[in-house]
Amino acid sequence: MRWTALLDIAGALLYVDASLDDQVSRLGQSDSAAADESASSESLRTLEVLAQEAIHNFGTAREGFVAFIETSWDHTQLEQVPRLLSEVAGALRMLELPEPADYLNGVRSYVAIELIGKRRVPGGQQLDTLADAMASLEYYLEGGAVLRPETQPSVLDLAAESVRALGIVLPSVALSPA
């Protein structure tokens, strides 16, 4: 619910900002050219805000993992991580990026089921694999691939491999070559 409200507020603010910018820039343009430019500018800004919010939520989830490790496996440090990762995955789906969203959901499932639900402490290999999955997804998000997904396909390959190694099977991951 909170995520939706934030997106609505961000969209409204972007609309007001874009409208003011467009009114100033339209002074010397034809009406149809100005309308096309306005819609394009507003869409790009909305995507940028959505991507920045996803990056912020991912960073907060990463901080939860760091706190989990630094507190000698205090599972309460992970309580918000599944929700945050789910929100990031939702943002990626809105941006029409289902593959990285599936990988995020794989990590979310691992955290929710294995770490929180079963209160497990990951071994060295599992921790490295989880770190690889998180690092590759973070690199994907922060590297601008959210707005230009074709630029970093190999990063997603590492995420897919890490999710598989954690034992999480998702439909799109299961169909990918191993």
Side-chain angles (χ1 to χ4, degrees):
M1 188 69 158
R2 186 182 80 132
W3 177 251
T4 305
L6 287 174
L7 288 176
D8 289 342
I9 291 168
L13 290 173
L14 286 173
Y15 178 77
V16 170
D17 184 50
S19 295
L20 292 173
D21 287 346
D22 290 336
Q23 287 179 5
V24 170
S25 68
R26 269 194 286 185
L27 291 175
Q29 297 179 352
S30 71
D31 288 340
S32 67
D36 290 346
E37 187 177 311
S38 172
S40 175
S41 176
E42 184 179 335
S43 294
L44 182 59
R45 287 184 187 164
T46 301
L47 291 176
E48 288 172 349
V49 167
L50 189 58
Q52 287 302 319
E53 186 63 27
I55 290 167
H56 172 74
N57 282 355
F58 190 88
T60 304
R62 182 180 27 79
E63 290 170 7
F65 282 111
V66 170
F68 173 63
I69 294 166
E70 288 178 348
T71 59
S72 298
W73 319 115
D74 177 6
H75 288 83
T76 61
Q77 299 297 321
L78 297 173
E79 288 176 353
Q80 298 301 315
V81 171
R83 178 188 56 80
L84 291 166
L85 293 179
S86 182
E87 289 176 0
V88 175
L92 291 176
R93 288 197 193 288
M94 287 179 183
L95 294 168
E96 298 180 7
L97 298 169
E99 186 179 13
D102 285 347
Y103 302 145
L104 275 165
N105 278 328
V107 173
R108 181 200 53 76
S109 293
Y110 178 78
V111 172
I113 295 167
E114 297 297 324
L115 301 182
I116 296 173
K118 296 179 181 177
R119 303 200 52 84
R120 293 203 174 150
V121 173
Q125 182 63 40
Q126 287 175 320
L127 198 55
D128 287 345
T129 302
L130 183 58
D132 286 346
M134 292 292 289
S136 61
L137 289 165
E138 183 172 31
Y139 185 76
Y140 180 83
L141 289 169
E142 290 185 352
V146 168
L147 298 177
R148 295 181 317 278
E150 69 283 353
T151 61
Q152 299 177 0
S154 64
V155 174
L156 288 181
D157 292 342
L158 177 58
E161 183 180 315
S162 298
V163 168
R164 273 192 221 98
L166 289 172
I168 303 297
V169 178
L170 299 170
S172 65
V173 176
L175 297 175
S176 301

